[in-house]
Amino acid sequence: MGTFSAGHRRGGTAVAGASTPTHPDAAREAAVDAALAALGLDDKARLLAGQDMWSLPALPGIGLGSLVMSDGPIGVRGVAWSADDPSVALPSPTALAATWDPALARRAGWLLAQEARRKGVHVLLAPTVNLHRSPLGGRHFEAYSEDPYLTGEIGTGYVRGVQDGGVGTTVKHFVANDAETDRFTVDNIVAPRTLREIYLAPFERIVKNARPWGIMAAYNRVNGSTMTEHHYLQNAVLRGEWGFDGCVVSDWLAARSTVAAVSGGLDVAMPGPRTVYGKALADAVRAGEVEESVVDGAVRNVLRLAARVGILDGAPPVVDETAYPATADGDALAREIARRSFVLVRNERAALPLGPAAVRKVALSGALARDARVLGGGSAQVFPEHIVSPLDGLTAALPEGALDFRVGADPNDELTVAEKGFELRAVCLDASGAVIGSAPLRNGTLQWVGDDLPEGVTRETLHRVEITGTFVPRDGGEHVFGTRGTGALTLTVAGETLYDEVHRVVSADPGEAFFGNPLERGRITLTAGEPVEVSLRQIPDTLGDDAAIPGVSFALCHLGPRRDPRELIAEAVGSARAADTAIVVVGTTERVESEGFDRTDLRLPGHQDDLVRAVAAANPNTVVIVNSGSPVELPWRDEVAAVLLGWFPGQEAGHALADVLLGAEEPGGRLPTTWPAALADVPVSNTAPTGGELHYDEGVFVGYRAWEKAGTAPAYPFGHGLGYTTWEYESLTAGPDSATVRLRNTGTRPGAETVQIYLAPRDGTAERPARRLAGFARVEAAPGESAEAVIALDRRAYEIWDETAYDWTLVPGTYEVQAAHSLADVRLTAAVEVTR
């Protein structure tokens, strides 16, 4: 028999060094009070409105600096969409979640805080803790998992780490922003129990365990109310029930009203200079539509955030600079996270790690081995100083002459931003045609927001911008050129004008024009190795303050000649047939997996499936690396020796891959989301609303909960992942509030195991999933040695949200505690009795 004390117990692995913060801190609150008392209505209203794309206004009269924000899930881009100040690019959030290690997520946060301070950024617009409700969600690479508990634990580590470094976080997107289709207008209809147990759960865990300084309100509606105006969820639940005392900021352009937004709990409307706050808010107060005390509450939250990050005079920051975590090596940490995130889902005949005989001659194929995709598209994009591709990493690690690379299959069969072979710069001209400024470009993308313009250029003097330079084709033949963006566009290649028209995009989604699909504008035959001049000129239609986001945004896009897929595959097969080992890299492209749109299928683009099958038929020692941010179908998975899921692995991708393939390191990842065999098997897949509404009719049965209810076996279950050693689970001792697992490394090399604890209710007194993840811990041991994992279990694991009582209710009865290697590989069980 067992019961619970009234205290709260955290499940999962403990995060070393965690402390309970004191709220409120008297000195900071006194400084906030004094600053608020000194402000007039107009300054209060102005402080709640972005002054530009990334910052709030400074108010020197009260000693307040300008609060600067930046995108930051995997790296800190800063206030410019530019490679001029490169950023460390860590592996994608799905990769971080695949480590199942909140302590590692905390270390990632330390690095990101370090990067933020270097770039003058006070608040990161991260982490993304929306759930993988459907594998078709286009932005899932930026979120952690299908499971709210795992998501909450990894998010807690991330938030603690960033804020350890004195930088704020904004946990996003609050709430139920789980797909991209019509994300700006969709009304997600979610039952109260489902909302509480699934979609609010990671936010609640992070708010209570990590005390984030910010939350981002999403674009979408929930049960009829736009999230930026959702009084119940933002005021009653977030602030009232959970005790959140931070700042609520809108997603960019998500705030659509003045009175409803401020009354609904939205503190800051971004971006500026044109928002629903500022003068409009002051006018609403004077007209009696809003009480000034409501505005004061929002201003207090902003001032508290400023105090916490150290930009309010008289307020000590939460973290003094002498207490910052030790300086982190970005390359080393990116490499460690990548190899710890790789999930080995198949390893027949111990194909991996590759031994000396397997690497005398290695055949490598797949265009993504050469042109690695290491991060997802959209607002999470950063510009790393370097990228180590699989080809680079394996070339450096293998003996000279051992590696033979062939393209085999190129999934990039659609236009992408111009990069390889292009040397470009942006030239700014005034109305007379005179050059008034210029800037180098890393690729064909140009995005200057607000006054983020080259030196000497202003929005008043700028008339047109030209992306210009040279292109040296890697291959001869027909090249396709295109554009992304709006305005008057003129595209010229090798002296030939391919396009000269005005293009406009009408969409409710503010990111559509820039993150949407490129458009083909013309084709031209070019000779390999022969340089040609290229130019894309834009007369912007978004320079004035009346634009939703004033500035200049457009891109030059390109697609090289397409060789006969059969020839490419035949070359790869010939190489594989002569090799000891064949390695094939497959994955998605920016046109398949990115912010701004959902996927329509889970197939690999191009002829990548054909390549794998052909290479596997030629060489039984075929290893496949999957370079995608979220699940794809692998119809050939039983035909190859090994399959390693690499996610979007960050800037050190190739070095980390070589570490794992050659056995210097063990692949440490476990699946944070179920990997389906085929889309037709997926129990929850819809992302498209009907009549403006998307109904979450599956209720609490999402992810592995839904798979078990449907009785369908996926390709690889939640929590699955193989290492390079074996483990015997020796004993399990369990009570209602903890489980202790003892296990022994029975293999021949050191290794790590992620012990997973699932709770399965044995009494049918409530409709519940067959089981749920309730805790986990990572242990390490040398060959023959034992290790022990002690895992705390929350009371919440035994509760449901009672829609009648409108409160959490413990469900007493018998529960089976399962100690597992994965959801489908339970090693030990114990029964516990839970009473009130």
Side-chain angles (χ1 to χ4, degrees):
M1 297 291 288
T3 187
F4 287 93
S5 64
H8 176 73
R9 296 290 303 270
R10 263 187 80 234
T13 46
V15 182
S19 61
T20 302
T22 301
H23 293 291
D25 178 89
R28 276 193 299 276
E29 288 302 303
V32 168
D33 287 343
L36 179 59
L39 289 176
L41 175 60
D42 291 321
D43 278 340
K44 292 176 187 176
R46 189 158 65 93
L47 184 58
L48 304 181
Q51 67 174 351
D52 53 30
M53 186 69 169
W54 303 112
S55 69
L56 300 181
L59 297 177
I62 59 168
L64 176 67
S66 175
L67 186 81
V68 179
M69 297 172 256
S70 171
D71 286 313
I74 58 103
V76 184
R77 192 173 58 246
V79 298
W81 196 284
S82 164
D84 293 347
D85 184 10
S87 309
V88 173
L90 298 177
S92 63
T94 43
L96 187 60
T99 69
W100 287 59
D101 191 342
L104 185 59
R106 191 170 191 172
R107 289 173 54 207
W110 290 348
L111 173 66
L112 294 174
Q114 174 182 305
E115 284 277 279
R117 296 192 306 268
R118 180 176 68 82
K119 294 195 173 201
V121 169
H122 305 114
V123 176
L124 292 186
L125 304 171
T128 301
V129 300
N130 301 114
L131 297 183
H132 298 173
R133 175 179 170 269
S134 161
L136 295 176
R139 202 176 180 180
H140 280 350
F141 59 86
E142 194 182 318
Y144 292 130
S145 170
E146 69 186 27
D147 182 72
Y149 179 87
L150 177 59
T151 295
E153 288 294 287
I154 299 297
T156 292
Y158 175 102
V159 168
R160 283 177 165 162
V162 173
Q163 294 183 177
D164 284 346
V167 175
T169 56
T170 53
V171 186
K172 64 183 187 182
H173 307 84
F174 190 69
V175 62
N177 185 182
D178 310 299
E180 294 295 280
T181 304
D182 295 343
R183 62 178 180 170
F184 200 69
T185 57
V186 63
D187 187 3
N188 292 326
I189 308 301
V190 193
R193 180 184 171 196
T194 302
L195 195 58
R196 292 283 186 155
E197 294 186 21
I198 304 296
Y199 299 100
L200 287 173
F203 289 94
E204 181 184 13
R205 178 165 289 275
I206 294 167
V207 167
K208 290 183 174 179
N209 294 340
R211 296 292 176 184
W213 302 341
I215 294 283
M216 181 184 287
Y219 288 125
N220 54 281
R221 297 174 181 269
V222 171
N223 298 332
S225 175
T226 299
M227 275 310 306
T228 51
E229 303 167 10
H230 212 302
H231 184 279
Y232 174 68
L233 290 178
Q234 293 186 149
N235 286 336
V237 176
L238 177 62
R239 295 196 187 280
E241 294 181 24
W242 301 350
F244 175 71
D245 66 351
C247 180
V248 177
V249 60
S250 73
D251 202 341
W252 266 225
L253 297 177
R256 288 156 241 188
S257 72
T258 300
V259 175
V262 75
S263 301
L266 182 72
D267 297 320
V268 173
M270 290 295 291
R274 188 165 66 93
T275 81
V276 298
Y277 284 173
K279 183 178 183 300
L281 181 55
D283 289 346
V285 173
R286 292 188 173 105
E289 298 171 334
V290 177
E291 293 291 335
E292 189 166 355
S293 60
V294 174
V295 175
D296 288 349
V299 173
R300 180 180 296 279
N301 295 329
V302 173
L303 291 173
R304 185 180 293 121
L305 175 57
R308 285 170 166 165
V309 301
I311 59 169
L312 179 64
D313 287 355
V318 170
V319 184
D320 183 83
E321 62 182 21
T322 60
Y324 291 155
T327 301
D329 182 323
D331 290 350
L333 186 57
R335 186 170 180 168
E336 179 184 353
I337 294 173
R339 65 190 184 222
R340 291 270 306 277
S341 75
F342 293 158
V343 181
L344 182 61
V345 294
R346 179 177 171 84
N347 194 23
E348 295 299 296
R349 305 182 307 279
L352 293 179
L354 300 173
V359 297
R360 291 173 302 190
K361 189 166 184 59
V362 176
L364 177 65
S365 60
L368 291 174
R370 177 188 63 194
D371 304 323
R373 189 176 184 203
V374 301
L375 49 88
S379 60
Q381 184 178 9
V382 296
F383 302 95
E385 188 174 46
H386 65 270
I387 291 174
V388 183
S389 69
L391 177 57
D392 296 333
L394 288 169
T395 299
L398 291 171
E400 185 175 355
L403 188 67
D404 181 53
F405 171 71
R406 304 301 171 101
V407 171
D410 189 346
N412 292 293
D413 55 3
E414 297 180 279
L415 286 160
T416 57
V417 171
E419 186 168 12
K420 302 293 182 181
F422 289 85
E423 188 171 328
L424 303 169
R425 65 185 300 102
V427 177
C428 302
L429 302 98
D430 64 17
S432 71
V435 174
I436 56 175
S438 66
L441 296 176
R442 182 80 165 264
N443 57 30
T445 297
L446 188 152
Q447 179 158 300
W448 297 329
V449 178
D451 296 318
D452 176 29
L453 300 169
E455 185 177 354
V457 180
T458 66
R459 281 192 281 155
E460 291 72 26
T461 58
L462 181 61
H463 178 259
R464 63 183 185 272
V465 182
E466 186 174 3
I467 297 174
T468 184
T470 59
F471 171 50
V472 181
R474 188 159 54 188
D475 302 302
E478 185 179 63
H479 289 251
V480 184
F481 287 84
T483 65
R484 188 161 59 187
T486 63
L489 299 166
T490 304
L491 172 63
T492 304
V493 179
E496 181 179 341
T497 299
L498 301 183
Y499 182 76
D500 186 11
E501 293 184 28
V502 175
H503 176 67
R504 305 196 188 284
V505 172
V506 179
S507 174
D509 189 332
E512 178 67 24
F514 192 71
F515 296 136
N517 290 333
L519 299 174
E520 179 180 333
R521 301 306 190 188
R523 301 177 176 229
I524 188 169
T525 300
L526 302 176
T527 303
E530 186 174 303
V532 294
E533 294 184 355
V534 296
S535 166
L536 176 59
R537 186 179 69 220
Q538 182 199 49
I539 300 177
D541 57 3
T542 54
L543 278 173
D545 286 342
D546 58 337
I549 301 178
V552 182
S553 298
F554 69 118
L556 171 66
C557 301
H558 169 258
L559 175 66
R562 302 291 87 192
R563 286 186 58 193
D564 187 330
R566 293 168 297 182
E567 293 180 6
L568 292 175
I569 291 174
E571 291 174 0
V573 166
S575 177
R577 189 173 286 121
D580 301 304
T581 300
I583 300 173
V584 186
V585 181
V586 298
T588 60
T589 69
E590 193 169 327
R591 293 293 298 274
V592 172
E593 202 177 357
S594 182
E595 179 179 347
F597 55 87
D598 292 318
R599 292 191 280 174
T600 57
D601 59 57
L602 299 179
R603 294 190 296 272
L604 288 168
H607 295 267
Q608 295 180 99
D609 289 335
D610 296 334
L611 171 66
V612 173
R613 284 196 164 112
V615 168
N619 189 322
N621 299 318
T622 293
V623 176
V624 182
I625 315 301
V626 183
N627 182 195
S628 68
S630 49
V632 291
E633 293 176 2
L634 309 176
W636 34 259
R637 63 189 181 279
D638 294 333
E639 303 170 30
V640 300
V643 179
L644 185 73
L645 308 181
W647 314 107
F648 295 151
Q651 65 183 44
E652 296 296 313
H655 287 324
L657 183 61
D659 289 342
V660 166
L661 292 181
L662 301 180
E665 300 287 345
E666 185 179 43
R670 303 293 184 265
L671 282 179
T673 200
T674 304
W675 203 279
L679 178 59
D681 298 335
V682 174
V684 180
S685 60
N686 61 314
T687 61
T690 301
E693 295 181 347
L694 181 61
H695 290 254
Y696 286 38
D697 290 333
E698 67 280 356
V700 298
F701 295 93
V702 295
Y704 61 85
R705 297 164 169 84
W707 283 91
E708 291 207 306
K709 182 180 181 182
T712 306
Y716 303 111
F718 180 79
H720 175 62
L722 307 173
Y724 289 159
T725 189
T726 55
W727 295 87
E728 179 185 350
Y729 282 54
E730 296 180 323
S731 65
L732 166 65
T733 304
D737 59 355
S738 70
T740 300
V741 182
R742 189 164 184 82
L743 60 165
R744 184 166 56 90
N745 182 346
T746 55
T748 59
R749 56 177 286 160
E753 172 74 337
T754 299
V755 180
Q756 302 163 36
I757 298 294
Y758 297 91
L759 287 183
R762 285 292 169 255
D763 300 317
T765 56
E767 185 185 18
R768 288 177 287 175
R771 49 188 164 156
R772 59 178 289 183
L773 179 69
F776 57 90
R778 183 177 183 271
V779 299
E780 298 180 355
E785 290 187 350
S786 294
E788 189 174 84
V790 180
I791 301 169
L793 304 176
D794 281 355
R795 175 187 173 93
R796 182 60 57 79
Y798 305 95
E799 294 178 327
I800 65 169
W801 180 260
D802 188 327
E803 295 185 354
T804 301
Y806 231 74
D807 199 358
W808 292 102
T809 300
L810 185 139
V811 183
T814 303
Y815 289 79
E816 184 175 88
V817 179
Q818 302 176 347
H821 172 78
S822 76
L823 186 80
D825 187 1
V826 175
R827 302 292 178 87
L828 297 171
T829 64
V832 298
E833 293 293 328
V834 175
T835 65
R836 296 185 187 276

